[in-house]
Amino acid sequence: MAQNILDTDIQFLPGVGPKRADLIKKELGVSTIGELLKLYPNRYIDRSTFFRISDVRAEMAYIQVKAKVIRTDLYGPSSVPVQELKFNAIKRMSVIVGDGTGELELVFFKGIKWMYEKLKPGSEFIFFGKPSSFNGHINIVHPEVDPPASASESTAGMTGVYPSTEKLKNAGVTGKVMNKIMEAAVNRGLQGFTETMPEYLMKECGLVPLHFALRNVHFPKDMASLEKARYRLKFEELFFLQLSLLKQKYVRSRSADGIQMPRVGEAFNKCYASLPFPLTGAQKRVITEIRNDMKSGSQMNRLLQGDVGSGKTMVAVLTALIAAGNGYQACIMAPTEVLARQHYRNIQKFLDGTGVQSAILTGSSKASERREVHGGLEDGSIGIIVGTHALIEDNVRFRNLGLVIIDEQHRFGVEQRAKLWSKSACGSPPHVLVMTATPIPRTLAMTLYGDLDVSVIDEMPPGRKPVQTIHATDGKRPALYKFMRDQIAAGRQVFIVYPLINETEKLDYQSLEAGAEEIIKHFPFPPYKTAVVHGKQTNEVKKFNMDAFASGRADILVATSVIEVGVDVPNASVMVIESAERFGLSQLHQLRGRVGRGSEKSYCVLMTGHRLSKESKHRIELMCATENGFELAEEDMKMRGPGDLEGTQQSGLPVSLNIASLAKDGLILNAARACAQAVLDNDPSLECARHSMLRQELKKDKYIIRDYSKIS
Ligand code: ADP
Ligand code: MG
């Protein structure tokens, strides 16, 4: 059977076998030689260098020493003399080795008999492992032991360290064994790979051939070869991802499969004429971009990024009115009930006199309201519907849905969005505008939304004052309360936000409740009014309390981080964030954006414990230093990696990156995207012979990226 070597099960590699193969599959998710060869080292160790024992420190990473065994001590249960014990009753073996500069202890808890016989006093070995500190002296637990003259490919020079797990190590699949397995895989499997990059692109982009790259990523000949290998593999990974995203975008922009909305429409013009403020330049530019999309005849798929308070809602309203003016329905989806209601309220005033009817549908809409709204959507009398997930329910049908606007996009899963698309009875997919206030680092946006067009509102409405950010610990509470009293006396309002990391976390609720009590104690009624809002309240209670704050009846709002995202209370001038060290940068930035919306000077107070981890401290310092959301997002990504970033957990990366990092490889990403764009500019369908390998590669499953606009 002429099976490709890459599809061969790893159990057939020497040193593996069915048992280890099963374990490797389970632990590392790798079952074929091809997959194994794509498992790259996490890092490399320079095994050409020996350390002097006198230089070894507990803080060092993996090191190796060449040393002679001085003595071996065996330890069993303390009650029994060691001499009387069988080997399997020995608990621990301590081996003292020396290299003339000093002595080092090696400790073994397993495989003692075998090691005891091997490590004869006076004999020399190479010991390799991670030093640690125990009771004040340095030792290495379970070092790898090699004869001094061993110089096989897998132990000389730069050695790759592969991902591993406790179970693998316990089953004897140590780093050394893994290297041996890889050596066999490289020798047998490499030939199975065919080059994926056309010769001319390799030349233009300075890429080494695939075989060279794969060999050297596992067994680097030297530092320079390793660099070249890693560059090539990262480039390739990012290139194909961008190629598939850009190709999708290209196909969509070329297809006539979109609703043409040729008019601006009277509703838009009426609203525009009666705006209480002039639009900012950025808002105007973005609306022009959207307008061009909607009249093009192709489907719009646009991401609208803009910091909190930059005026995205205004853009959403005007966009919805374009749809209405062309006889189509528009739907605006918000992630929470509170936000949906707020949008609805805000939108009303702009719709006055436009003749467009709007409605709201949320989880708490009453059955009778619901029926009415369903009817209005089906017969087309409702032009703009605002709502939450309730809009996704099966019994919601539209007469002619032409536009979907999604606010705070990251709260909606892909499937949920897809379900909305399928609700349009008019055949063509609705235009899509995704709005996000979470500034996304550029590299991440290029990957997450590489197939979308991106608009950025990079200008704040005039009159916004910078928010002063202050870090304080518990001892400063009296001063904080005094400051709050002063602000309230001046007519301002105060947010106090508690972390609610996990909605069901009991402790978080307890601290919120205790905090609220404390506030009410220090700010008694009368004259102070404090509203408390959290997720365990019924929707009515929540709404009542939110309204009390939004309307200015309450001076203080104590809330969890989850529900008040997005609320607009221009009169609020102080945002106190409790346990600020528990929030990520993006989240802190979002919360801070709740203040500074009015004309008064605003403050954000980050309350933390006294002892902060290095990372938390860094985050708090950054928050105090800058208000630039994009800068903070870049830092956040550097600190936490793109996988943990706000906004990516649910949407996820379209494909998982194996070697490239969005946090560190921005330059390679730029080069790869430019290269992909150039290829498509010359050959949009990849029909040229020299691009056949690209076409081939894109057919692989992993590049069949879900299309936000078309899944049904
Ligand atoms: P976002 O949704 O981007 O967070 P909003 O649309 O809620 O921002 O706008 C924040 C505040 O700024 C609102 O009170 C809104 O009415 C106001 N606003 C929007 N655009 C302008 C503008 N061009 N000039 C002045 N104020 C504006
Ligand atoms: Mg908003």
Side-chain angles (χ1 to χ4, degrees):
M1 197 178 66
Q3 194 202 23
N4 188 325
I5 179 76
L6 297 183
D7 298 327
T8 305
D9 196 300
I10 50 171
Q11 65 165 303
F12 300 113
L13 286 171
V16 184
K19 250 186 158 160
R20 277 184 174 175
D22 270 351
L23 191 65
I24 293 175
K25 257 173 240 178
K26 252 215 220 106
E27 298 295 301
L28 302 177
V30 161
S31 46
T32 65
I33 293 184
E35 287 165 357
L36 186 66
L37 286 171
K38 293 271 176 171
L39 181 76
Y40 304 136
N42 287 336
R43 54 197 176 79
Y44 297 82
I45 294 162
D46 185 358
R47 294 199 68 173
S48 58
T49 307
F50 292 101
F51 280 82
R52 286 154 25 137
I53 287 180
S54 59
D55 291 339
V56 173
R57 299 281 171 275
E59 306 78 48
M60 285 176 165
Y62 286 80
I63 53 129
Q64 67 183 359
V65 298
K66 196 186 263 182
K68 277 193 179 134
V69 176
I70 295 170
R71 63 168 202 278
T72 3
D73 299 312
L74 299 172
Y75 300 91
S78 52
S79 53
V80 191
V82 146
Q83 298 80 348
E84 294 169 19
L85 284 172
K86 292 234 167 64
F87 259 106
N88 55 15
I90 302 279
K91 293 268 183 272
R92 178 166 66 93
M93 173 168 75
S94 157
V95 181
I96 306 296
V97 300
D99 66 352
T101 72
E103 291 183 3
L104 181 67
E105 184 191 23
L106 311 173
V107 181
F108 295 84
F109 299 101
K110 279 193 277 258
I112 291 178
K113 179 163 192 275
W114 191 67
M115 274 297 167
Y116 183 79
E117 281 159 10
K118 182 167 172 167
L119 299 180
K120 295 254 173 358
S123 49
E124 191 180 47
F125 295 93
I126 297 171
F127 300 101
F128 172 81
K130 164 89 187 75
S132 53
S133 158
F134 183 75
N135 274 349
H137 68 271
I138 298 171
N139 64 23
I140 298 183
V141 179
H142 285 188
E144 283 177 15
V145 180
D146 285 313
S150 73
S152 87
E153 189 169 18
S154 66
T155 52
M158 306 275 293
T159 303
V161 180
Y162 293 91
S164 185
T165 65
E166 207 52 45
K167 278 197 182 135
L168 281 172
K169 279 186 197 129
N170 287 344
V173 187
T174 58
K176 196 164 117 191
V177 167
M178 201 62 192
N179 277 295
K180 282 262 183 258
I181 294 173
M182 272 304 174
E183 197 176 339
V186 168
N187 288 336
R188 285 174 192 210
L190 215 51
Q191 36 143 331
F193 284 96
T194 43
E195 183 55 66
T196 59
M197 296 297 285
E199 186 91 32
Y200 87 97
L201 285 182
M202 288 206 279
K203 259 210 200 99
E204 271 173 29
C205 304
L207 307 176
V208 295
L210 182 59
H211 283 197
F212 179 93
L214 282 172
R215 181 175 290 282
N216 278 279
V217 80
H218 291 293
F219 300 104
K221 204 167 74 181
D222 47 43
M223 205 59 197
S225 305
L226 176 60
E227 289 298 322
K228 281 186 200 144
R230 285 172 59 81
Y231 186 86
R232 143 85 207 211
L233 294 170
K234 287 177 177 185
F235 188 99
E236 173 182 359
E237 193 165 86
L238 296 167
F239 171 79
F240 280 107
L241 183 51
Q242 291 301 324
L243 190 66
S244 71
L245 288 166
L246 289 169
K247 191 155 178 285
Q248 227 168 74
K249 187 172 158 188
Y250 192 87
V251 167
R252 196 169 44 224
S253 71
R254 277 302 153 103
S255 85
D257 187 20
I259 305 169
Q260 191 155 23
M261 301 192 179
R263 284 180 293 281
V264 171
E266 212 172 303
F268 179 100
N269 285 330
K270 278 188 177 157
C271 172
Y272 194 86
S274 62
L275 282 179
F277 41 69
L279 293 184
T280 63
Q283 282 171 317
K284 281 188 198 155
R285 190 191 64 235
V286 166
I287 288 170
T288 306
E289 287 166 355
I290 290 171
R291 161 94 187 97
N292 288 337
D293 285 355
M294 290 169 88
K295 70 177 177 197
S296 72
S298 306
Q299 187 205 13
M300 170 169 76
N301 271 275
R302 191 165 279 280
L303 175 72
L304 174 57
Q305 275 194 278
D307 232 329
V308 233
S310 60
K312 292 183 297 297
T313 311
M314 201 57 250
V315 172
V317 172
L318 289 167
T319 305
L321 288 175
I322 295 177
N326 284 273
Y328 288 92
Q329 292 169 298
C331 124
I332 302 177
M333 302 255 298
T336 66
E337 172 111 23
V338 169
L339 261 181
R341 297 217 168 268
Q342 183 182 302
H343 272 319
Y344 184 62
R345 213 171 33 233
N346 285 345
I347 284 168
Q348 293 315 305
K349 52 181 186 250
F350 296 116
L351 295 187
D352 259 4
T354 60
V356 176
Q357 202 196 323
S358 64
I360 179 163
L361 188 72
T362 71
S364 68
S365 300
K366 295 197 191 70
S368 56
E369 290 171 331
R370 207 174 272 255
R371 263 196 305 278
E372 207 173 300
V373 170
H374 287 176
L377 290 174
E378 268 164 57
D379 67 21
S381 56
I382 295 175
I384 298 177
I385 177 83
V386 180
T388 57
H389 293 78
L391 283 169
I392 297 171
E393 282 165 22
D394 285 332
N395 51 6
V396 179
R397 292 261 139 235
F398 290 85
R399 176 154 174 272
N400 58 355
L401 180 63
L403 169 70
V404 175
I405 298 175
I406 300 177
D407 190 13
E408 310 280 332
Q409 138 298 312
H410 59 271
R411 307 260 171 148
F412 290 101
V414 178
E415 293 76 16
Q416 293 171 316
R417 283 179 236 164
K419 236 175 141 182
L420 257 179
W421 304 176
S422 65
K423 286 176 173 294
S424 178
C426 61
S428 297
H431 295 299
V432 179
L433 182 67
V434 175
M435 305 197 294
T436 175
T438 311
I440 302 168
R442 224 178 40 84
T443 56
L444 187 59
M446 259 156 70
T447 307
L448 270 179
Y449 307 109
D451 65 327
L452 303 188
D453 296 299
V454 179
S455 292
V456 182
I457 307 189
D458 50 7
E459 182 186 348
M460 285 290 180
R464 276 185 66 106
K465 299 215 170 121
V467 179
Q468 186 178 343
T469 304
I470 302 146
H471 173 211
T473 50
D474 258 337
K476 287 273 162 61
R477 244 172 235 286
L480 172 65
Y481 292 159
K482 158 117 183 29
F483 176 66
M484 283 167 59
R485 273 188 214 102
D486 292 347
Q487 288 282 309
I488 293 169
R492 308 281 100 75
Q493 290 166 281
V494 179
F495 283 104
I496 303 180
V497 173
Y498 279 83
L500 187 56
I501 305 304
N502 179 344
E503 286 244 35
T504 56
E505 195 102 55
K506 237 175 144 183
L507 265 175
D508 281 345
Y509 274 112
Q510 277 170 10
S511 61
L512 169 93
E513 277 161 14
E517 262 174 46
E518 168 91 358
I519 287 296
I520 291 167
K521 202 172 89 198
H522 284 88
F523 294 83
F525 172 80
Y528 298 105
K529 287 205 199 87
T530 300
V532 182
V533 177
H534 59 74
K536 282 195 174 162
Q537 294 166 332
T538 63
N539 283 326
E540 276 108 72
V541 173
K542 234 188 275 178
K543 183 172 174 308
F544 179 84
N545 288 327
M546 275 310 305
D547 286 349
F549 190 69
S551 67
R553 275 176 285 133
D555 311 295
I556 303 173
L557 179 72
V558 180
T560 56
S561 51
V562 175
I563 41 171
E564 41 38 66
V565 174
V567 290
D568 189 16
V569 184
N571 189 50
S573 63
V574 183
M575 165 63 67
V576 180
I577 304 176
E578 295 285 349
S579 304
E581 70 269 30
R582 291 180 60 195
F583 290 96
L585 271 176
S586 310
Q587 232 182 338
L588 288 172
H589 176 67
Q590 288 268 321
L591 288 169
R592 178 168 60 186
R594 299 297 132 215
V595 294
R597 308 190 126 202
S599 48
E600 302 307 321
K601 175 155 174 57
S602 297
Y603 305 86
C604 174
V605 183
L606 305 173
M607 298 297 296
T608 71
H610 279 285
R611 293 170 59 107
L612 292 179
S613 71
K614 218 172 106 193
E615 277 215 354
S616 305
K617 199 158 162 247
H618 184 52
R619 277 203 300 271
I620 303 284
E621 279 167 2
L622 277 169
M623 279 297 294
C624 294
T626 179
E627 261 198 272
N628 182 324
F630 284 93
E631 222 173 274
L632 290 168
E634 295 283 350
E635 278 297 321
D636 208 13
M637 182 158 86
K638 268 187 218 144
M639 287 169 74
R640 291 196 291 169
D644 290 331
L645 264 194
E646 189 92 344
T648 59
Q649 294 98 328
Q650 279 176 47
S651 33
L653 289 179
V655 303
S656 65
L657 295 174
N658 203 8
I659 184 165
S661 146
L662 293 179
K664 295 183 195 133
D665 299 321
L667 288 176
I668 307 179
L669 175 57
N670 285 344
R673 184 165 170 107
C675 175
Q677 185 67 59
V679 166
L680 288 173
D681 285 346
N682 288 318
D683 180 17
S685 344
L686 303 178
E687 278 162 350
C688 300
R690 63 179 183 168
H691 291 150
S692 68
M693 52 180 53
L694 300 181
R695 207 166 55 234
Q696 222 41 49
E697 183 69 17
L698 279 191
K699 276 193 198 138
K700 289 191 182 161
D701 277 350
K702 66 171 176 173
Y703 293 114
I704 301 178
I705 292 166
R706 55 187 190 223
D707 180 339
Y708 291 113
S709 61
K710 295 239 174 76
I711 312 169
S712 54

